[in-house]
Amino acid sequence: IILGLSGIALLGSILAFIFPSEEQHNNQSSSWDVISNILGYSYFLAWTLSFYPQIITNCTHPEKAVRGLSLDFIVWNIIGFALYAVYTTSLRYSAVVRQEYADRFGGGGAVVIQSEVPMAYHDPSFTNTTMFNVMINTM
């Protein structure tokens, strides 16, 4: 477990420096910005890796693929990720949405870090793959 967590943290650090935040790119970042970026990419990797065991089970042992797997969980994940994708994309790229958020809640607006947007579109692909496998294995 420690080796896995260390690997995720290392890869998260590498991704954070390959894909710096806007503040880092403009040389206006604090150490908290760097830490936030590292944690964001580490979170992205950990969450992504959590989808693989179910997909591997679905492919290697189709008879066990849906045993104990809740269809409701998959459907709610798909809905949740779709809404999360709209939310993160809007707050990341729409100046109008960011301004409305700032007006309503005060301050400079919501901060959506760079790693959240790809995750919002990447993870539903895994959930949809799982749903597809469930549909095939239950026919």
Side-chain angles (χ1 to χ4, degrees), residues 69-83 127-128 130-131 134-135:
L69 182 63
S70 169
L71 185 60
D72 290 342
F73 175 75
I74 296 171
V75 170
W76 284 114
N77 255 334
I78 291 170
I79 293 168
F81 280 130
L83 295 173
T127 306
N128 288 327
T130 302
M131 179 66 138
V134 166
M135 290 177 3

Side-chain angles (χ1 to χ4, degrees), residues 73-131:
F73 175 75
I74 296 171
V75 170
W76 284 114
N77 255 334
I78 291 170
I79 293 168
F81 280 130
L83 295 173
Y84 183 67
V86 170
Y87 169 81
T88 56
T89 304
S90 298
L91 282 175
R92 179 75 180 164
Y93 297 112
S94 173
V96 173
V97 172
R98 283 195 310 268
Q99 186 58 49
E100 286 180 8
Y101 187 93
D103 292 344
R104 180 172 291 173
F105 298 107
V111 177
V112 174
I113 61 174
Q114 187 172 343
S115 62
E116 290 181 59
V117 176
M119 185 189 130
Y121 290 94
H122 180 261
D123 291 348
S125 65
F126 285 108
T127 306
N128 288 327
T129 300
T130 302
M131 179 66 138

Side-chain angles (χ1 to χ4, degrees), residues 18-49:
I18 291 173
F19 303 108
S21 67
E22 291 174 19
E23 292 83 11
Q24 288 172 284
H25 188 65
N26 297 331
N27 293 324
Q28 299 174 345
S29 66
S30 68
S31 46
W32 288 114
D33 292 324
V34 174
I35 290 169
S36 174
N37 209 23
I38 291 170
L39 290 174
Y41 280 107
S42 297
Y43 163 78
F44 171 78
L45 290 170
W47 193 262
T48 298
L49 291 173

